[in-house]
Amino acid sequence: MKTLFDVIENRKQVYVEDGNTDKFAVPQFITDNLKFPLFDWQKSALENFLIFENLKSIKDFPDIKNRPTHLLFNMATGAGKTLMMAALILYYYDKGYRHFLFFVNQNNIVDKTENNFVDAAHNKFLFQQKIMHGDRVVPIKKVDVFSDNPQGIEIKFTSIQKLHNDIHTERENQTTLDDLHKLEIVMLGDEAHHLNAQTQNGQNEELDWEKELTEKSSQKEIERKGWEHTVLELILKKNGKPSKNVLLEFTATLPENDAVQQKYTDKIISKFALKDFLQAGFTKEINLVSSTLAKKERVLHALLFAWYRHQIALKYDIANFKPVMLFRSKTIDESWQDFEWFLRLTQNLTGQDFDFIKDISGSLKNSETQNEQGKSRTEQVVAFMRENGFSGSHVADWIRQNYQAHHVIITNSKTNKNKTKEITDAETDKLLNSLEAIDNPIRAIFTVDRLTEGWDVLNLFDIVRLYEGANSQKSGKQKSPTVAEKQLIGRGVRYYPFAFADKLPNKRKFDADTQHELRVLEELFYYTHDEQSRYLSQLKAELRKDGFIADNDNKVLQQFGIKPQFAENESFKNWLIWVNDKMPNPHKKQNNANSLRAAKMSVKITAHSRQSLHETLFVADETLDKSENLETSGYSQIFRLPEIEKRIFDKALHIKGKSENSFFHFKNLQDKLGIASRDELRTDLLQDWQIEFVNLGADKQVSPDDKLAGCLKILDKVAAHLNECDTPFIGTEYFIPKKLWDMFGKPKQKWVEKSKIKSDIVQNHDWYMLDNFIGNGLEEDLLQFIAEKIQDLRAKYDVVYLLRNEEVLKLYSFQNGEGFMPDFILLLKNKEKTVSGSIQDFLHYQIFIEPKGAHLLEKDAWKQDFLAQITQKYGKENWLMHETPHYRLIGLPFFVENSSKFQIEFQGVTES
């Protein structure tokens, strides 16, 4: 079945081949006004949308351009759907639309999304501080009722129930259907698989469409009346009237029902499922930990891993790391019982409670699959405790301290009388939606089904299923034992960003080194009882179907180490490998006092009313404070910095500058900005910077505490602005030697597809140094090329080795310090000694080789240029070091299919 997505992708390919990429170029108005850059998959989705918009007709769907635009973006949880929405809002604003309607099926999703779109002071705000359309600032605001002629972007946030009731129930100051029919509206529907209840069920029973939806309304009634009738028929199609309205749906879950699939053949515009997201490396890996442990030990097992992650974070200086775990019960009553039992358990723990880990291996499944590593990971923890002198008592002490009552939450209000539906209060929702915040104390969550949708969390690492067997039955029909759990796992796989070396903070770093200690911070553990249960088999099958986990038979754990004949050779082990380093750019152009004057930034602070504001809430590197989490209402007042009392601004500087190393220590301010006094910063350099205070009373009075909060926020922006520079890093032009064995001697383990293992290459080529080979066809072609040249090479050189660089050696661009790991290193040593300087020795060659597919040539051109620079600098006469003048570094052109350039330069280098 051909879909709209297929048609658009084919059209894009034609444009690319014809050199017409301007047909889908993202408008600068969009990129200039988004706060964050688009990832490749977001950019691709936006390009597909632009191709669709620019086509006058589509042959495969002849009627599609004669009706209101209705498209669906399939994007995995955590892949940045809201940033896509922001980009589309900008697109439609540029096209003349001013009214935007955001709706979902859960109130908590609405609440947490609003600030992302309308609160410029929020750390997750999606737009630039000021949206500029030409030379005009575009205001963006939340509204309850659309105005007829807005000056900027108006967004109404609602749930499907409220939207339906607003239209069908007359109340004062609310949007009516007649009002909506007068406007051109862009609707943004999140969690859009709920739009399809009527289609999936195949039921068309009569409903009272105008009857108000309440908390007692069934989900089926909400979906049919709210989503399908109200949204599609009454608003999108204006109940049969001419309509230019737009409906853009977003979902991480494409329903598999045949009728729904047919319904969406002409609507799906992009596909980036969780499987794609996992493969791109921007999620946690899933680790199913199945055991025969009793409930108490299963919970303690998870707590042990929470302690272990905390210890690893401390070891690697990962600041403010707080692992969160979730406990899932079968029913609401059982959830309350488990919640209270857990509090008793944790507060009465002793070291003896962890004696079970001495014999835990027998209770854990011994699996060879990538996503069932509970046993091997537990052995890592036990070894860590033994090597570092930690006992069960140490773990118990940490748990008692970190899992007290105020650290634990349950997703069900005490006032809720409904035994089948969890209800949370506003304060609980705030805590659940800000788990990563420094001042959020929550470490453990008890739930049933409350958090399977619309919940964004990065620091969830453990999910424990507290009950055994399949789920309960409803109305005589077995409830799926997998759907809710799969959705919950989908929320938990969002990656927790952390810095390590120069790797991307928000991407997995250890796929090629799964035994690294930090790998445990890249995994989501899901604990269940009894690996032989029918439930677990069903869950694994469901997860495989959607690409959450790999096929059992598809991947195996492989080790990549140096072959014994090399490892036992002392001269080989002492061979020198040359690498450069990354350093701060001494010539970088940083922002300065003049740029502060020109920046003219602003922040928004929500008044705290009678709340006391403690200095400890505001630290130099904090990105989120409590003031951003409060709802805004009432009056507002704007202050320029010179209008803030000097004593308050000085107090903010004092808080920020307590440490001598702080940027705001006065000596550092003087050195950086050349100011004579602190007040010069407030009255001169920041004279046009502003603080907007909202949620004020009618007298518009701002408390000193709130002014202090505003000044602290301003100073955060000052530090961020002054730390920006054009090229912060460079790669050193000097290279330092390291012993080959020290770099490559430790074997690495990683999971690889069986079909890519090429044992014959390892066995047939004694000059290939590793005991394993995994590679694509182009890399195999390179080895074949070397094999054909090996006799000629050995005639000239005493040593000819080819080393596969399994993400060990990294070089840094001279220009900007960007990292690059060449795939192969060819090592050569002359047969005859020569004299370099005053030293007579054998010439050694370290030759970098990088196979490259044609589709990456343009993107990675800088790498080829960098390799040429290495050759120019160290390929002939220049010495790497005076003590070692007999080493040469050479970077060859990319090894590309049918490339004569590589062959010519290879021959020139090796035969000279």
Side-chain angles (χ1 to χ4, degrees):
M1 181 191 308
K2 184 180 286 188
T3 67
L4 177 63
F5 173 75
D6 300 324
V7 173
I8 297 297
E9 283 284 305
N10 290 337
R11 183 63 62 94
K12 182 190 284 187
Q13 187 60 39
V14 172
Y15 287 155
V16 171
E17 292 172 357
D18 292 345
N20 291 329
T21 55
D22 58 315
K23 296 279 190 181
F24 52 83
V26 178
Q28 188 174 347
F29 172 65
I30 294 177
T31 54
D32 284 353
N33 286 295
L34 289 177
K35 182 178 178 181
F36 306 103
L38 296 168
F39 284 106
D40 288 345
W41 56 87
Q42 294 169 320
K43 186 169 180 282
S44 178
L46 192 54
E47 289 170 348
N48 284 10
F49 168 79
L50 293 169
I51 291 172
F52 171 82
E53 281 290 288
N54 292 329
L55 290 174
K56 289 184 169 52
S57 64
I58 299 176
K59 181 180 177 181
D60 296 273
F61 304 101
D63 190 44
I64 197 169
K65 288 291 184 172
N66 299 323
R67 59 178 189 251
T69 297
H70 181 182
L71 300 172
L72 182 138
F73 293 81
N74 172 213
M75 299 181 70
T77 297
K81 287 184 290 182
T82 52
L83 188 63
M84 273 298 300
M85 293 180 192
L88 292 163
I89 287 172
L90 292 172
Y91 171 84
Y92 277 108
Y93 175 84
D94 193 42
K95 295 298 180 184
Y97 287 80
R98 299 293 182 265
H99 305 99
F100 297 84
L101 182 61
F102 176 92
F103 55 93
V104 287
N105 71 316
Q106 293 183 21
N107 284 322
N108 66 306
I109 303 178
V110 175
D111 295 339
K112 76 178 183 63
T113 303
E114 288 182 8
N115 286 337
N116 296 354
F117 287 104
V118 298
D119 185 356
H122 197 275
N123 70 312
K124 294 183 179 179
F125 185 60
L126 297 164
F127 303 100
Q128 293 290 350
Q129 283 283 325
K130 293 181 179 178
I131 300 173
M132 300 299 300
H133 193 255
D135 59 357
R136 192 168 65 84
V137 177
V138 179
I140 182 167
K141 64 178 182 177
K142 168 190 171 182
V143 298
D144 291 323
V145 179
F146 289 126
S147 58
D148 293 333
N149 297 294
Q151 297 303 306
I153 296 168
E154 294 187 346
I155 308 179
K156 178 179 173 64
F157 298 90
T158 188
S159 66
I160 51 173
Q161 298 97 319
K162 189 173 188 308
L163 179 63
H164 176 86
N165 293 342
D166 282 351
I167 288 174
H168 291 93
T169 307
E170 290 191 11
R171 294 187 181 92
E172 190 177 354
N173 295 324
Q174 72 174 33
T175 300
T176 67
L177 187 59
D178 286 339
D179 294 333
L180 294 179
H181 281 180
K182 296 173 185 175
L183 306 173
E184 292 178 356
I185 299 171
V186 177
M187 292 180 285
L188 304 163
D190 200 5
E191 305 294 348
H193 48 279
H194 290 285
L195 277 163
N196 305 295
Q198 186 171 327
T199 309
Q200 290 189 68
N201 297 332
Q203 297 174 349
N204 292 294
E205 67 268 23
E206 290 296 321
L207 291 173
D208 182 353
W209 298 116
E210 297 188 3
K211 182 181 177 182
E212 188 169 2
L213 292 171
T214 68
E215 289 185 359
K216 295 182 179 180
S217 299
S218 69
Q219 190 63 27
K220 181 171 66 176
E221 183 181 5
I222 292 171
E223 290 170 359
R224 282 198 62 200
K225 292 170 66 173
W227 288 83
E228 298 217 345
H229 175 68
T230 299
V231 173
L232 295 180
E233 296 301 326
L234 299 186
I235 303 179
L236 178 65
K237 300 176 183 177
K238 291 192 175 181
N239 211 14
K241 300 174 184 177
S243 174
K244 291 184 180 179
N245 286 349
V246 175
L247 174 58
L248 305 175
E249 302 182 36
F250 295 81
T251 185
T253 308
L254 280 178
E256 297 177 358
N257 178 283
D258 288 342
V260 178
Q261 291 281 333
Q262 179 65 41
K263 173 181 173 181
Y264 276 88
T265 55
D266 62 350
K267 296 177 180 64
I268 299 173
I269 194 70
S270 72
K271 289 182 181 179
F272 190 72
L274 183 59
K275 180 179 181 179
D276 304 309
F277 203 27
L278 284 161
Q279 291 175 351
F282 289 88
T283 68
K284 301 187 191 90
E285 282 281 8
I286 297 167
N287 192 356
L288 300 176
V289 184
S290 52
S291 71
T292 55
L293 294 171
K295 184 167 85 170
K296 175 185 173 182
E297 283 71 31
R298 195 156 69 252
V299 168
L300 293 180
H301 190 205
L303 286 166
L304 176 67
F305 271 103
W307 169 85
Y308 176 60
R309 288 191 181 91
H310 174 76
Q311 291 298 322
I312 295 301
L314 288 176
K315 179 176 179 179
Y316 289 91
D317 295 323
I318 298 173
N320 303 313
F321 178 75
K322 183 194 68 174
V324 172
M325 54 181 24
L326 182 146
F327 298 95
R328 189 162 193 257
S329 305
K330 184 184 292 187
T331 66
I332 290 176
D333 284 342
E334 288 182 11
S335 185
W336 273 107
Q337 293 168 14
D338 291 332
F339 172 76
E340 292 164 354
W341 168 80
F342 177 84
L343 292 177
R344 293 193 300 271
L345 171 70
T346 55
Q347 292 314 298
N348 292 285
L349 272 184
T350 67
Q352 292 180 335
D353 287 306
F354 286 94
D355 286 349
F356 74 96
I357 66 174
K358 298 173 184 176
D359 304 309
I360 194 173
S361 291
S363 301
L364 297 169
K365 183 178 181 182
N366 189 14
S367 175
E368 296 182 356
T369 63
Q370 178 179 1
N371 298 102
E372 296 180 86
Q373 290 299 299
K375 186 170 185 177
S376 64
R377 286 287 181 259
T378 303
E379 290 168 351
Q380 275 187 312
V381 177
V382 172
F384 177 84
M385 293 177 67
R386 182 176 62 251
E387 292 165 5
N388 292 278
F390 290 120
S391 65
S393 296
H394 183 100
V395 179
D397 289 345
W398 183 83
I399 292 171
R400 284 198 306 273
Q401 180 180 349
N402 287 279
Y403 292 88
Q404 299 176 39
H406 66 283
H407 295 124
V408 186
I409 199 169
I410 185 168
T411 64
N412 192 48
S413 169
K414 287 185 177 181
T415 60
N416 179 28
K417 304 302 181 183
N418 192 321
K419 296 297 183 181
T420 60
K421 182 179 179 180
E422 294 167 285
I423 297 176
T424 52
D425 56 32
E427 183 59 30
T428 298
D429 284 339
K430 284 182 182 179
L431 289 170
L432 290 171
N433 289 322
S434 62
L435 289 167
E436 303 90 353
I438 297 171
D439 58 346
N440 186 317
I442 301 303
R443 286 181 173 269
I445 303 163
F446 283 77
T447 190
V448 180
D449 287 321
R450 177 68 177 80
L451 302 174
T452 55
E453 289 185 347
W455 183 44
D456 295 329
V457 59
L458 304 179
N459 55 338
L460 177 66
F461 290 95
D462 300 280
I463 300 175
V464 185
R465 193 174 190 260
L466 292 175
Y467 57 103
E468 301 173 16
N471 291 326
S472 59
Q473 295 186 0
K474 287 189 178 182
S475 304
K477 183 178 180 180
Q478 177 68 43
K479 180 184 178 182
S480 169
T482 59
V483 172
E485 266 110 346
K486 182 176 70 173
Q487 290 176 323
L488 189 57
I489 289 171
R491 315 311 302 186
V493 296
R494 297 192 66 177
Y495 191 80
Y496 180 83
F498 61 92
F500 179 77
D502 60 348
K503 297 178 182 290
L504 287 176
N506 59 342
K507 186 175 184 180
R508 289 197 307 272
K509 304 159 185 62
F510 304 103
D511 284 0
D513 188 11
T514 56
Q515 300 308 302
H516 196 287
E517 286 181 320
L518 281 169
R519 178 63 171 186
V520 76
L521 268 61
E522 300 188 324
E523 295 176 325
L524 171 70
F525 285 27
Y526 187 81
Y527 304 79
T528 60
H529 179 270
D530 184 9
E531 71 275 15
Q532 300 298 325
S533 72
R534 179 185 173 193
Y535 156 76
L536 189 58
S537 299
Q538 290 174 322
L539 177 61
K540 287 192 287 189
E542 191 70 24
L543 292 172
R544 287 192 196 100
K545 181 174 66 176
D546 282 5
F548 282 53
I549 63 174
D551 254 332
N552 274 346
D553 300 326
N554 191 34
K555 288 191 174 184
V556 291
L557 186 64
Q558 291 286 289
Q559 180 167 291
F560 295 79
I562 300 294
K563 286 178 178 176
Q565 62 264 38
F566 297 108
E568 295 164 5
N569 185 324
E570 286 301 318
S571 64
F572 159 78
K573 292 169 72 171
N574 292 320
W575 189 293
L576 296 184
I577 293 291
W578 297 82
V579 295
N580 73 335
D581 205 350
K582 182 178 178 179
M583 64 174 284
N585 181 4
H587 306 295
K588 63 187 177 183
K589 297 177 182 178
Q590 286 192 302
N591 288 325
N592 55 25
N594 289 333
S595 68
L596 275 180
R597 286 191 188 94
K600 300 179 182 179
M601 294 188 186
S602 63
V603 299
K604 183 184 291 185
I605 294 293
T606 302
H608 287 72
S609 300
R610 299 181 180 87
Q611 292 182 340
S612 174
L613 184 65
H614 300 289
E615 292 180 7
T616 52
L617 288 177
F618 298 91
V619 293
D621 60 348
E622 190 171 9
T623 57
L624 178 66
D625 61 61
K626 285 187 176 180
S627 67
E628 292 173 338
N629 287 331
L630 299 176
E631 296 180 1
T632 61
S633 60
Y635 297 88
S636 65
Q637 181 85 299
I638 294 176
F639 285 76
R640 291 170 53 247
L641 257 292
E643 296 171 336
I644 299 289
E645 292 91 330
K646 179 179 181 297
R647 61 181 179 80
I648 293 177
F649 188 78
D650 285 349
K651 185 175 183 180
L653 279 174
H654 175 70
I655 293 170
K656 293 291 190 183
K658 286 180 179 178
S659 165
E660 287 189 9
N661 296 324
S662 168
F663 172 80
F664 292 101
H665 191 276
F666 182 58
K667 184 179 183 303
N668 297 331
L669 282 175
Q670 280 184 308
D671 293 343
K672 177 71 178 178
L673 301 175
I675 57 177
S677 69
R678 290 182 176 86
D679 206 41
E680 195 175 332
L681 181 62
R682 177 179 68 94
T683 60
D684 180 10
L685 303 187
L686 304 180
Q687 61 179 301
D688 292 321
W689 289 46
Q690 296 180 339
I691 307 173
E692 181 182 4
F693 298 95
V694 299
N695 200 35
L696 298 173
D699 59 2
K700 295 188 178 182
Q701 292 298 306
V702 182
S703 71
D705 274 348
D706 287 327
K707 288 181 181 178
L708 175 63
C711 291
L712 289 163
K713 203 69 177 173
I714 283 285
L715 292 180
D716 283 340
K717 286 192 174 290
V718 168
H721 176 78
L722 292 173
N723 282 330
E724 291 175 353
C725 62
D726 54 350
T727 307
F729 296 99
I730 57 172
T732 59
E733 292 194 4
Y734 59 85
F735 283 67
I736 58 174
K738 296 185 178 183
K739 290 184 178 181
L740 189 148
W741 186 253
D742 291 341
M743 290 191 69
F744 294 92
K746 183 180 179 180
K748 300 186 77 171
Q749 289 184 326
K750 63 179 179 179
W751 292 89
V752 297
E753 294 180 20
K754 289 181 180 179
S755 60
K756 292 185 177 179
I757 300 173
K758 308 294 181 182
S759 301
D760 55 329
I761 288 177
V762 176
Q763 296 166 2
N764 297 338
H765 301 320
D766 59 354
W767 41 267
Y768 181 72
M769 295 170 61
L770 295 190
D771 58 8
N772 215 330
F773 177 82
I774 308 296
N776 56 35
L778 189 61
E779 291 166 332
E780 289 184 52
D781 290 344
L782 171 64
L783 267 69
Q784 181 60 36
F785 174 85
I786 301 293
E788 292 171 359
K789 302 288 184 182
I790 196 66
Q791 294 306 319
D792 294 337
L793 290 171
R794 283 178 168 168
K796 180 175 176 61
Y797 298 98
D798 184 52
V799 169
V800 183
Y801 299 148
L802 185 68
L803 177 61
R804 176 67 184 263
N805 180 25
E806 290 291 345
E807 296 190 11
V808 175
L809 180 147
K810 192 167 197 174
L811 304 175
Y812 298 93
S813 163
F814 298 146
Q815 273 71 39
N816 58 19
E818 188 166 355
F820 166 39
M821 289 186 261
D823 287 337
F824 293 91
I825 306 168
L826 180 64
L827 304 176
L828 305 175
K829 186 177 83 170
N830 276 0
K831 288 188 174 184
E832 303 292 336
K833 288 186 177 182
T834 58
V835 176
S836 293
S838 60
I839 299 176
Q840 185 179 30
D841 207 333
F842 299 100
L843 270 179
H844 296 66
Y845 294 88
Q846 179 175 318
I847 302 175
F848 301 113
I849 303 176
E850 175 82 355
K852 189 66 61 179
H855 64 295
L856 293 173
L857 289 177
E858 183 178 351
K859 177 183 177 183
D860 287 349
W862 70 270
K863 296 179 181 179
Q864 185 164 246
D865 294 340
F866 177 40
L867 291 174
Q869 291 167 3
I870 291 175
T871 303
Q872 183 177 9
K873 192 164 185 64
Y874 294 116
K876 293 184 179 180
E877 300 304 324
N878 287 349
W879 299 345
L880 285 155
M881 294 178 69
H882 284 284
E883 299 84 356
T884 54
H886 44 279
Y887 278 82
R888 302 285 182 267
L889 300 186
I890 294 170
L892 290 175
F894 287 156
F895 180 82
V896 183
E897 188 175 7
N898 301 320
S899 171
S900 58
K901 183 177 180 181
F902 175 88
Q903 296 182 33
I904 293 170
E905 292 215 19
F906 182 89
Q907 185 173 347
V909 167
T910 58
E911 295 183 6
S912 60

